[in-house]
Amino acid sequence: MNLSTTLAQQLARRPQRVALLEQIAVQGSITRAAKAAGLSYKAAWDAIDELNNLAGRPLVERTVGGKGGGGARLSAEGERLLALYKRLESLQARLLESAESEQDLELLGRLMLRTSARNQLSGRVVAIQPQGRNDLVEIELAGSARIQAQITRDSTEKLELTAGRGVVALIKAGWLSLQALSSPADPQLNQLEGWIEQILPADDGPSEVRIGMASGLTLCALVEPELLAKLGLQGGDPVRAQFAPGQVLLGTPL
């Protein structure tokens, strides 16, 4: 597993996430690790889902049975990530020492932007198909799943996209539409299949639906409770998430 620039930035900007992984290794429990790292249980799982997606494989594994009824532990990839992060910290310290002024550091901070998109999926460009002034970029995610992003030709050139280039696909939770696998898929839309891991209802808005995928990635969708009831979807059900290529934003490591 390579420590991608995007994943490294996530850890560097949010040291609580490193603390969370360290505490999972020590505590063997998400609940106890979250408390020790100063995070809520939900925030801990949000962090784990995002880091798993950027890494392209699970960093945390659930354990079943044993004293207390089970818990969690770092996967081999998670353990390696922590070791790599320690090396990154050393390199980062050397980089900061080489900065000539405070303005240099402020510039770096402006370049490393955060995003509000809940779904950040790491992948690589497979092909780029011209479509007038736009390009249709085909991306392979972890587990060989493929999606398409429609972006302008200027964006393709600005991001220096070519086959084999690593990218992060950003998809807002509200852009995902869900349907049962028994329903016909729309061939014009991207399709990602999985199962409903959890439904988190809200008192004054759409429910948050977490979708697990066989690759270990996790999607987050926002769906109105009435629509969930109409679709008959509940925890554990297989589900298909659909979204248009134009609703996929792309980013590349700096």
Side-chain angles (χ1 to χ4, degrees):
M1 180 185 68
N2 295 321
L3 185 60
S4 71
T5 301
T6 305
L7 180 56
Q9 289 174 0
Q10 282 284 333
L11 295 174
R13 291 198 305 262
R14 302 179 183 180
Q16 276 184 312
R17 296 191 167 189
V18 179
L20 175 64
L21 295 179
E22 291 177 330
Q23 289 299 324
I24 289 172
V26 173
Q27 305 283 352
S29 161
I30 296 294
T31 302
R32 293 194 297 270
K35 184 176 181 180
L39 296 169
S40 69
Y41 183 78
K42 180 181 182 302
W45 271 112
D46 285 346
I48 290 168
D49 287 344
E50 188 171 344
L51 292 176
N52 285 348
N53 288 347
L54 291 174
R57 63 193 73 182
L59 302 179
V60 177
E61 298 174 341
R62 299 188 189 208
T63 59
V64 180
K67 186 176 180 180
R73 65 186 177 195
L74 294 184
S75 65
E77 288 78 12
E79 292 176 351
R80 187 174 177 217
L81 174 64
L82 279 180
L84 288 171
Y85 181 74
K86 296 301 181 183
R87 292 170 56 191
L88 173 66
E89 281 186 318
S90 175
L91 292 172
Q92 185 182 46
R94 290 167 57 188
L95 171 63
L96 295 179
E97 288 172 1
S98 69
E100 295 181 359
S101 68
E102 185 177 345
Q103 285 71 31
D104 290 341
L105 301 182
E106 291 176 353
L107 175 58
L108 285 174
R110 288 197 300 272
L111 292 176
M112 294 187 210
L113 298 178
R114 296 185 182 184
T115 172
S116 62
R118 288 295 304 276
N119 299 298
Q120 302 182 36
L121 309 178
S122 181
R124 66 178 182 86
V125 175
V126 175
I128 301 175
Q129 178 183 343
Q131 288 189 333
R133 295 181 181 273
N134 296 326
D135 285 330
L136 194 64
V137 182
E138 186 172 357
I139 303 155
E140 183 176 63
L141 305 175
S144 300
R146 295 194 179 191
I147 62 173
Q148 294 179 324
Q150 186 180 53
I151 62 176
T152 65
R153 181 70 43 72
D154 288 344
S155 294
T156 301
E157 295 174 355
K158 184 177 180 180
L159 294 174
E160 300 178 345
L161 297 183
T162 57
R165 180 82 151 102
V167 294
V168 176
L170 309 172
I171 311 148
K172 284 189 158 186
W175 290 346
L176 298 183
S177 62
L178 304 185
Q179 62 176 192
L181 296 187
S182 57
S183 300
D186 187 335
Q188 301 300 316
L189 300 178
N190 287 307
Q191 321 283 339
L192 290 176
E193 296 183 359
W195 63 92
I196 297 179
E197 287 188 339
Q198 192 176 21
I199 298 176
L200 302 173
D203 295 332
D204 55 354
S207 298
E208 180 177 314
V209 182
R210 293 174 182 266
I211 303 162
M213 298 172 58
S215 62
L217 302 182
T218 302
L219 298 176
C220 176
L222 294 177
V223 186
E224 294 294 338
E226 297 80 6
L227 180 56
L228 277 177
K230 181 179 179 181
L231 295 173
L233 294 174
Q234 54 187 346
D237 286 349
V239 69
R240 178 185 298 117
Q242 298 188 127
F243 49 96
Q247 292 174 317
V248 180
L249 307 177
L250 296 183
T252 56
L254 295 173

